[in-house]
Short mmCIF file of all heavy atoms in Angstrom, two decimals:
data_model
loop_
_atom_site.label_atom_id
_atom_site.label_comp_id
_atom_site.label_asym_id
_atom_site.label_seq_id
_atom_site.Cartn_x
_atom_site.Cartn_y
_atom_site.Cartn_z
N ARG A 1 37.65 -52.84 70.07
CA ARG A 1 38.46 -51.89 70.69
C ARG A 1 37.88 -51.15 71.85
O ARG A 1 36.54 -51.05 71.94
CB ARG A 1 38.77 -50.61 69.61
CG ARG A 1 39.76 -51.15 68.61
CD ARG A 1 40.36 -49.99 67.80
NE ARG A 1 41.19 -50.47 66.78
CZ ARG A 1 41.99 -49.53 65.99
NH1 ARG A 1 41.72 -48.19 66.13
NH2 ARG A 1 42.71 -50.00 65.09
N GLN A 2 38.78 -50.74 72.73
CA GLN A 2 38.27 -49.96 73.93
C GLN A 2 39.44 -49.02 74.21
O GLN A 2 40.63 -49.31 73.86
CB GLN A 2 37.98 -50.88 75.19
CG GLN A 2 39.09 -51.58 75.83
CD GLN A 2 38.65 -52.38 76.95
OE1 GLN A 2 37.57 -52.66 77.16
NE2 GLN A 2 39.74 -52.67 77.77
N GLY A 3 39.18 -47.82 74.74
CA GLY A 3 40.14 -46.88 74.88
C GLY A 3 39.79 -45.84 76.03
O GLY A 3 38.65 -45.72 76.42
N LYS A 4 40.68 -45.06 76.35
CA LYS A 4 40.46 -43.99 77.27
C LYS A 4 41.41 -42.87 77.05
O LYS A 4 42.70 -43.12 76.75
CB LYS A 4 40.63 -44.41 78.76
CG LYS A 4 40.30 -43.36 79.73
CD LYS A 4 40.24 -44.13 81.14
CE LYS A 4 38.80 -44.89 81.34
NZ LYS A 4 38.64 -45.39 82.58
N THR A 5 40.98 -41.61 77.04
CA THR A 5 41.74 -40.42 76.87
C THR A 5 41.80 -39.72 78.24
O THR A 5 40.88 -39.37 78.89
CB THR A 5 41.22 -39.42 75.70
OG1 THR A 5 41.12 -40.21 74.62
CG2 THR A 5 41.97 -38.29 75.69
N TYR A 6 43.12 -39.58 78.67
CA TYR A 6 43.36 -38.80 79.92
C TYR A 6 43.85 -37.38 79.54
O TYR A 6 44.95 -37.27 78.95
CB TYR A 6 44.52 -39.57 80.71
CG TYR A 6 44.17 -40.98 81.11
CD1 TYR A 6 44.56 -42.04 80.32
CD2 TYR A 6 43.52 -41.15 82.29
CE1 TYR A 6 44.16 -43.28 80.65
CE2 TYR A 6 43.20 -42.49 82.69
CZ TYR A 6 43.50 -43.49 82.01
OH TYR A 6 43.32 -44.82 82.27
N THR A 7 43.14 -36.36 79.87
CA THR A 7 43.44 -35.07 79.67
C THR A 7 44.10 -34.48 80.93
O THR A 7 43.42 -34.34 82.04
CB THR A 7 42.34 -34.12 79.18
OG1 THR A 7 41.79 -34.87 78.01
CG2 THR A 7 42.67 -32.80 78.99
N LEU A 8 45.38 -34.01 80.94
CA LEU A 8 46.03 -33.48 82.11
C LEU A 8 46.22 -31.98 82.01
O LEU A 8 46.76 -31.49 80.93
CB LEU A 8 47.41 -34.13 82.20
CG LEU A 8 47.51 -35.65 82.61
CD1 LEU A 8 46.96 -36.65 81.47
CD2 LEU A 8 48.80 -36.08 83.10
N LYS A 9 45.86 -31.33 82.98
CA LYS A 9 45.99 -29.78 83.15
C LYS A 9 46.92 -29.47 84.22
O LYS A 9 46.52 -29.87 85.43
CB LYS A 9 44.61 -29.30 83.16
CG LYS A 9 44.66 -27.67 83.04
CD LYS A 9 43.34 -27.01 83.24
CE LYS A 9 43.29 -25.47 82.97
NZ LYS A 9 42.03 -24.85 83.14
N ASN A 10 47.94 -28.74 83.96
CA ASN A 10 48.96 -28.49 85.04
C ASN A 10 48.72 -26.98 85.42
O ASN A 10 49.03 -26.08 84.59
CB ASN A 10 50.49 -28.64 84.52
CG ASN A 10 51.41 -28.31 85.56
OD1 ASN A 10 51.17 -28.18 86.70
ND2 ASN A 10 52.70 -28.43 85.12
N ARG A 11 48.29 -26.73 86.58
CA ARG A 11 48.08 -25.26 87.12
C ARG A 11 49.21 -24.94 88.01
O ARG A 11 49.15 -23.89 88.64
CB ARG A 11 46.74 -25.27 87.88
CG ARG A 11 45.43 -25.52 87.02
CD ARG A 11 44.26 -25.05 87.68
NE ARG A 11 44.06 -25.80 88.96
CZ ARG A 11 43.39 -26.92 88.91
NH1 ARG A 11 42.77 -27.51 88.04
NH2 ARG A 11 43.34 -27.55 90.30
N ASN A 12 50.13 -25.75 88.14
CA ASN A 12 51.33 -25.41 89.08
C ASN A 12 52.17 -24.41 88.18
O ASN A 12 52.04 -24.20 87.05
CB ASN A 12 52.10 -26.68 89.35
CG ASN A 12 51.30 -27.66 90.13
OD1 ASN A 12 51.06 -27.55 91.32
ND2 ASN A 12 50.90 -28.74 89.51
N ASP A 13 53.30 -23.94 88.96
CA ASP A 13 54.24 -22.94 88.33
C ASP A 13 55.49 -23.74 87.88
O ASP A 13 56.44 -22.95 87.55
CB ASP A 13 54.58 -22.00 89.37
CG ASP A 13 55.08 -22.25 90.71
OD1 ASP A 13 55.25 -23.68 90.80
OD2 ASP A 13 55.34 -21.63 91.57
N ALA A 14 55.40 -25.01 87.87
CA ALA A 14 56.66 -25.80 87.39
C ALA A 14 56.04 -26.99 86.57
O ALA A 14 54.87 -27.40 86.69
CB ALA A 14 57.46 -26.31 88.53
N THR A 15 57.01 -27.52 85.74
CA THR A 15 56.63 -28.71 84.91
C THR A 15 56.34 -29.94 85.91
O THR A 15 57.00 -29.97 86.78
CB THR A 15 57.77 -28.94 83.95
OG1 THR A 15 57.89 -27.87 83.07
CG2 THR A 15 57.55 -30.32 83.18
N ARG A 16 55.36 -30.53 85.39
CA ARG A 16 54.97 -31.89 86.14
C ARG A 16 55.28 -32.98 85.37
O ARG A 16 54.91 -33.08 84.19
CB ARG A 16 53.56 -31.85 86.65
CG ARG A 16 53.19 -31.13 87.85
CD ARG A 16 53.63 -31.80 89.10
NE ARG A 16 53.13 -31.10 90.27
CZ ARG A 16 53.70 -30.30 91.06
NH1 ARG A 16 54.76 -29.83 90.73
NH2 ARG A 16 53.14 -29.92 92.16
N THR A 17 55.96 -33.99 85.90
CA THR A 17 56.10 -35.29 85.28
C THR A 17 55.06 -36.28 86.01
O THR A 17 55.06 -36.46 87.12
CB THR A 17 57.57 -35.84 85.62
OG1 THR A 17 58.53 -35.07 85.02
CG2 THR A 17 57.61 -37.35 84.93
N VAL A 18 54.10 -36.67 85.12
CA VAL A 18 53.05 -37.45 85.53
C VAL A 18 53.07 -38.80 85.05
O VAL A 18 53.17 -39.15 83.89
CB VAL A 18 51.71 -36.75 85.06
CG1 VAL A 18 50.45 -37.51 85.57
CG2 VAL A 18 51.51 -35.22 85.43
N LEU A 19 52.99 -39.81 85.97
CA LEU A 19 52.78 -41.22 85.56
C LEU A 19 51.37 -41.54 85.72
O LEU A 19 50.57 -41.52 86.71
CB LEU A 19 53.58 -42.03 86.69
CG LEU A 19 55.12 -42.00 86.54
CD1 LEU A 19 55.63 -42.90 87.64
CD2 LEU A 19 55.67 -42.37 85.19
N VAL A 20 50.84 -41.87 84.44
CA VAL A 20 49.50 -42.31 84.31
C VAL A 20 49.33 -43.85 84.42
O VAL A 20 49.99 -44.55 83.60
CB VAL A 20 48.72 -41.86 83.06
CG1 VAL A 20 47.35 -42.25 82.93
CG2 VAL A 20 48.79 -40.28 83.05
N GLU A 21 48.67 -44.41 85.44
CA GLU A 21 48.47 -45.80 85.51
C GLU A 21 47.28 -46.21 84.89
O GLU A 21 46.05 -45.79 85.38
CB GLU A 21 48.49 -46.20 87.12
CG GLU A 21 49.89 -45.90 87.63
CD GLU A 21 49.95 -46.44 89.10
OE1 GLU A 21 48.91 -46.71 89.76
OE2 GLU A 21 51.17 -46.76 89.63
N HIS A 22 47.27 -47.16 83.92
CA HIS A 22 46.10 -47.52 83.21
C HIS A 22 45.94 -49.17 83.54
O HIS A 22 47.05 -49.81 83.39
CB HIS A 22 46.23 -47.40 81.70
CG HIS A 22 45.07 -47.80 80.93
ND1 HIS A 22 43.96 -47.10 80.81
CD2 HIS A 22 44.86 -49.04 80.27
CE1 HIS A 22 43.15 -47.58 80.02
NE2 HIS A 22 43.57 -48.83 79.70
N PRO A 23 44.80 -49.61 83.78
CA PRO A 23 44.70 -50.96 84.13
C PRO A 23 45.07 -51.94 83.09
O PRO A 23 44.67 -51.62 81.98
CB PRO A 23 43.05 -51.09 84.48
CG PRO A 23 42.62 -49.73 84.66
CD PRO A 23 43.55 -48.82 83.93
N VAL A 24 45.72 -53.05 83.35
CA VAL A 24 46.03 -54.04 82.46
C VAL A 24 44.79 -54.99 82.34
O VAL A 24 44.34 -55.46 83.29
CB VAL A 24 47.32 -54.87 82.91
CG1 VAL A 24 47.49 -56.16 81.97
CG2 VAL A 24 48.52 -54.04 82.78
N ASN A 25 44.45 -55.08 81.08
CA ASN A 25 43.39 -56.17 80.66
C ASN A 25 44.08 -57.25 79.79
O ASN A 25 44.30 -56.89 78.59
CB ASN A 25 42.23 -55.52 80.04
CG ASN A 25 41.03 -56.48 79.79
OD1 ASN A 25 41.25 -57.71 79.71
ND2 ASN A 25 39.88 -55.90 79.64
N ASN A 26 44.30 -58.44 80.29
CA ASN A 26 45.00 -59.34 79.56
C ASN A 26 44.35 -59.90 78.25
O ASN A 26 44.98 -60.58 77.43
CB ASN A 26 45.38 -60.53 80.47
CG ASN A 26 46.35 -60.25 81.55
OD1 ASN A 26 47.29 -59.40 81.40
ND2 ASN A 26 46.22 -60.76 82.74
N ALA A 27 43.05 -59.57 78.21
CA ALA A 27 42.25 -60.04 77.06
C ALA A 27 42.49 -59.06 75.75
O ALA A 27 42.30 -59.44 74.70
CB ALA A 27 40.80 -60.10 77.31
N PHE A 28 43.12 -57.87 76.18
CA PHE A 28 43.31 -56.83 75.15
C PHE A 28 44.85 -56.51 75.08
O PHE A 28 45.52 -56.73 75.90
CB PHE A 28 42.44 -55.56 75.50
CG PHE A 28 41.04 -55.54 75.21
CD1 PHE A 28 40.23 -56.21 76.26
CD2 PHE A 28 40.53 -54.96 74.23
CE1 PHE A 28 38.92 -56.28 76.12
CE2 PHE A 28 39.11 -55.08 74.00
CZ PHE A 28 38.35 -55.60 75.03
N ALA A 29 45.24 -56.00 73.79
CA ALA A 29 46.63 -55.63 73.57
C ALA A 29 46.54 -54.18 73.26
O ALA A 29 45.64 -53.70 72.57
CB ALA A 29 47.28 -56.45 72.53
N LEU A 30 47.57 -53.51 73.66
CA LEU A 30 47.72 -52.10 73.28
C LEU A 30 48.00 -51.96 71.73
O LEU A 30 48.92 -52.55 71.18
CB LEU A 30 48.91 -51.45 74.09
CG LEU A 30 48.76 -51.32 75.55
CD1 LEU A 30 49.98 -50.81 76.19
CD2 LEU A 30 47.64 -50.29 75.92
N ILE A 31 47.44 -50.92 71.13
CA ILE A 31 47.65 -50.56 69.84
C ILE A 31 47.50 -49.07 69.65
O ILE A 31 46.82 -48.51 70.59
CB ILE A 31 46.56 -51.20 68.78
CG1 ILE A 31 45.17 -50.76 69.09
CG2 ILE A 31 46.69 -52.77 68.77
CD1 ILE A 31 44.27 -51.01 67.99
N GLU A 32 48.28 -48.52 68.73
CA GLU A 32 48.30 -47.06 68.42
C GLU A 32 48.32 -46.28 69.68
O GLU A 32 47.85 -45.17 69.91
CB GLU A 32 46.87 -46.70 67.75
CG GLU A 32 46.62 -47.46 66.45
CD GLU A 32 45.29 -47.24 65.82
OE1 GLU A 32 44.58 -46.40 66.42
OE2 GLU A 32 45.03 -47.78 64.89
N THR A 33 49.32 -46.65 70.61
CA THR A 33 49.58 -46.09 71.95
C THR A 33 50.98 -45.98 72.23
O THR A 33 51.67 -46.94 71.89
CB THR A 33 48.71 -46.86 73.07
OG1 THR A 33 47.37 -46.95 72.72
CG2 THR A 33 48.94 -46.15 74.38
N ALA A 34 51.34 -44.85 72.78
CA ALA A 34 52.78 -44.75 73.12
C ALA A 34 53.18 -46.01 74.09
O ALA A 34 52.41 -46.34 74.99
CB ALA A 34 53.01 -43.46 73.81
N LYS A 35 54.45 -46.40 73.90
CA LYS A 35 54.98 -47.51 74.83
C LYS A 35 55.01 -47.06 76.21
O LYS A 35 55.47 -46.02 76.52
CB LYS A 35 56.32 -47.90 74.29
CG LYS A 35 56.74 -49.19 75.00
CD LYS A 35 58.15 -49.65 74.50
CE LYS A 35 58.60 -50.78 75.28
NZ LYS A 35 59.97 -51.29 74.77
N PRO A 36 54.37 -47.87 77.08
CA PRO A 36 54.52 -47.46 78.45
C PRO A 36 55.96 -47.44 79.00
O PRO A 36 56.79 -48.31 78.57
CB PRO A 36 53.62 -48.39 79.25
CG PRO A 36 53.45 -49.61 78.31
CD PRO A 36 53.63 -49.04 76.89
N VAL A 37 56.29 -46.54 79.97
CA VAL A 37 57.60 -46.68 80.51
C VAL A 37 57.79 -47.82 81.47
O VAL A 37 58.90 -48.24 81.71
CB VAL A 37 58.01 -45.39 81.17
CG1 VAL A 37 57.97 -44.06 80.31
CG2 VAL A 37 56.99 -45.17 82.47
N GLU A 38 56.66 -48.40 81.83
CA GLU A 38 56.73 -49.62 82.90
C GLU A 38 55.49 -50.35 82.72
O GLU A 38 54.39 -49.78 82.64
CB GLU A 38 57.07 -49.18 84.27
CG GLU A 38 57.27 -50.19 85.21
CD GLU A 38 57.45 -49.62 86.64
OE1 GLU A 38 57.71 -48.43 86.72
OE2 GLU A 38 57.41 -50.41 87.60
N THR A 39 55.65 -51.62 82.89
CA THR A 39 54.42 -52.58 82.84
C THR A 39 54.45 -53.34 84.17
O THR A 39 55.35 -54.12 84.27
CB THR A 39 54.31 -53.37 81.62
OG1 THR A 39 54.25 -52.57 80.53
CG2 THR A 39 53.03 -54.25 81.73
N ALA A 40 53.41 -53.09 85.08
CA ALA A 40 53.48 -53.96 86.26
C ALA A 40 52.40 -55.09 86.05
O ALA A 40 51.87 -55.21 85.05
CB ALA A 40 52.98 -53.11 87.51
N SER A 41 52.21 -55.77 87.06
CA SER A 41 51.15 -56.94 86.88
C SER A 41 49.85 -56.48 86.64
O SER A 41 49.06 -57.12 86.10
CB SER A 41 51.30 -57.91 88.13
OG SER A 41 51.01 -57.17 89.33
N ASP A 42 49.50 -55.36 87.24
CA ASP A 42 48.06 -54.85 87.10
C ASP A 42 47.88 -53.58 86.43
O ASP A 42 46.81 -53.13 86.13
CB ASP A 42 47.54 -54.75 88.56
CG ASP A 42 48.34 -53.82 89.39
OD1 ASP A 42 49.51 -53.50 89.11
OD2 ASP A 42 47.77 -53.36 90.40
N VAL A 43 49.00 -52.87 86.15
CA VAL A 43 48.85 -51.52 85.39
C VAL A 43 49.88 -51.18 84.43
O VAL A 43 51.01 -51.65 84.53
CB VAL A 43 48.86 -50.30 86.44
CG1 VAL A 43 47.72 -50.33 87.38
CG2 VAL A 43 50.11 -50.33 87.26
N TYR A 44 49.70 -50.49 83.33
CA TYR A 44 50.61 -49.82 82.52
C TYR A 44 50.89 -48.50 83.08
O TYR A 44 50.10 -47.85 83.67
CB TYR A 44 50.03 -49.69 81.16
CG TYR A 44 49.71 -50.93 80.31
CD1 TYR A 44 48.45 -51.14 80.09
CD2 TYR A 44 50.67 -51.84 79.90
CE1 TYR A 44 48.01 -52.35 79.40
CE2 TYR A 44 50.31 -53.04 79.21
CZ TYR A 44 48.97 -53.39 79.06
OH TYR A 44 48.64 -54.41 78.40
N ARG A 45 52.20 -48.11 83.06
CA ARG A 45 52.49 -46.75 83.36
C ARG A 45 53.06 -45.89 82.24
O ARG A 45 54.01 -46.30 81.69
CB ARG A 45 53.53 -46.78 84.63
CG ARG A 45 52.88 -47.23 85.96
CD ARG A 45 53.86 -47.20 87.13
NE ARG A 45 53.31 -47.67 88.32
CZ ARG A 45 53.57 -48.86 88.93
NH1 ARG A 45 54.71 -49.60 88.30
NH2 ARG A 45 53.02 -49.29 89.82
#
């Protein structure tokens, strides 16, 4: 297994919609992770 935790802190005065791009590694499959809204050739979003 390999993983990464992205901690996002919003200091703005309005809600932010953040798209986090995580690199696609074709040797690994996503598990125990929310489904990405989009999968490109090189990144999950």
